[in-house]
Amino acid sequence: KSSKEAPIICYGPHTSMLDGMPASIYRYQTWNGLSHIQNYSMPGYGLLLRFSEFAFVDPDCEKSRKKSILTIKHRAQSSEWNHIVQIFAPEGTTSNGTNLGSFKKGAFIPGAPIQMVDVQYPEMFDYILSKIFKYLPTKIQQFLSNNLSAPENFTTENSTARRKSRGSGWASYTFDCSFYIFLYHLCCFYQPLIYTVHDIYNPDSQEKNDPELYAENFRQQFLKITKLNDQETTRNDGAIVNYLHSRNIGKEIYDVDE
């Protein structure tokens, strides 16, 4: 689909800084989007974002947020940018790939059609075993099921059970550091990557005038298709929990996923 039909791509769940690149490449178009200001000076990755003319936003600065909204609207609606496709991770933060967090409304403010892309980073062993599990001797199947993962996780590389329980595995721990991504891929000789491009979501008149409604309806459609866990959390929620956890405060009233 050309960017005139869907000038925006929204992908998820967001588990790594590498998620968005293949999501845009399949369209064979120039691409850019919006990124956190901390990525501006990141070695390698930050240079790529600046070269691609990404806009950067400081979520703690109201002036920066307002300018980023104007940028998104202009690039989605101006004829000067109709050869560009904007890509967004609407969660605005990373997770382990087992759930879908709350969506920020930025990508939905222009009221333009949006291409939905589902991203999967299966564990290397999960993916390989899903291909050969049924051919293994029964005793080995039982051993793997008892010691590594549930049997249904090995039935297919797209297993819903696997995604909900294991998510992106080790790949998700490379979330915001180019060094960790490089180190991880040196240690992992094979990393499966599954991109599923879904139908374009065309907003109705009510959604076009209400970005929050558009974002929530789009998110519910995403959850319905992917069957991921529904977790209405944000980057700020994670920051608060990490702050409390680091100071050993209130452990009896919250759960921290180690």
Side-chain angles (χ1 to χ4, degrees):
K1 300 292 183 179
S2 71
S3 62
K4 292 181 180 180
E5 295 178 73
I8 294 174
I9 294 174
C10 283
Y11 64 88
H14 188 25
T15 59
S16 166
M17 67 170 66
L18 298 179
D19 294 349
M21 296 179 189
S24 57
I25 292 172
Y26 86 91
R27 290 272 291 262
Y28 301 104
Q29 289 179 268
T30 306
W31 52 276
N32 57 38
L34 187 69
S35 186
H36 196 288
I37 190 64
Q38 69 182 17
N39 295 330
Y40 182 90
S41 57
M42 185 176 292
Y45 185 64
L47 180 62
L48 174 63
L49 295 180
R50 298 198 299 273
F51 181 78
S52 302
E53 294 187 292
F54 266 65
F56 294 89
V57 59
D58 180 354
D60 298 321
C61 174
E62 183 179 0
K63 184 177 180 181
S64 177
R65 293 198 303 270
K66 288 182 178 180
K67 284 188 174 182
S68 67
I69 290 173
L70 293 175
T71 300
I72 293 170
K73 291 179 67 175
H74 175 70
R75 292 183 177 184
Q77 299 170 354
S78 172
S79 60
E80 296 178 356
W81 289 86
N82 62 11
H83 63 292
I84 300 291
V85 60
Q86 295 186 86
I87 59 173
F88 294 92
E91 293 169 283
T93 188
T94 53
S95 69
N96 63 9
T98 62
N99 58 74
L100 199 65
S102 297
F103 279 8
K104 295 181 178 294
K105 64 181 182 180
F108 305 90
I109 289 176
I114 295 179
Q115 185 88 64
M116 184 186 301
V117 178
D118 176 23
V119 183
Q120 295 187 58
Y121 286 99
E123 278 275 14
M124 173 180 65
F125 294 108
D126 282 353
Y127 188 87
I128 294 174
L129 286 171
S130 72
K131 299 295 187 181
I132 65 173
F133 187 75
K134 63 182 179 181
Y135 303 110
L136 297 175
T138 304
K139 289 186 177 181
I140 295 180
Q141 290 184 3
Q142 292 175 346
F143 175 82
L144 292 172
S145 300
N146 294 333
N147 294 279
L148 184 60
S149 186
E152 59 267 24
N153 290 350
F154 300 126
T155 57
T156 171
E157 66 272 20
N158 290 297
S159 168
T160 300
R162 176 195 59 75
R163 295 192 76 184
K164 286 188 173 183
S165 63
R166 292 167 67 80
S168 297
W170 282 101
S172 65
Y173 295 105
T174 64
F175 53 99
D176 60 358
C177 177
S178 53
F179 172 75
Y180 284 147
I181 286 182
F182 178 70
L183 181 62
Y184 168 77
H185 285 288
L186 284 179
C187 300
C188 177
F189 67 87
Y190 173 57
Q191 173 58 62
L193 173 61
I194 302 173
Y195 267 74
T196 306
V197 181
H198 296 287
D199 292 337
I200 291 173
Y201 189 105
N202 289 287
D204 58 29
S205 57
Q206 190 174 4
E207 290 171 331
K208 289 180 179 179
N209 295 320
D210 188 344
E212 292 186 0
L213 175 65
Y214 188 3
E216 181 56 27
N217 290 347
F218 184 90
R219 180 175 177 272
Q220 291 302 321
Q221 180 69 7
F222 209 124
L223 285 167
K224 181 180 179 181
I225 293 173
T226 61
K227 298 181 175 61
L228 288 164
N229 297 313
D230 184 355
Q231 187 169 341
E232 295 187 9
T233 54
T234 66
R235 183 179 67 89
N236 290 336
D237 295 329
I240 292 171
V241 171
N242 283 335
Y243 176 85
L244 296 174
H245 183 58
S246 66
R247 285 158 179 78
N248 202 27
I249 300 174
K251 277 193 173 183
E252 67 280 0
I253 60 173
Y254 67 85
D255 294 323
V256 176
D257 183 3
E258 299 289 355

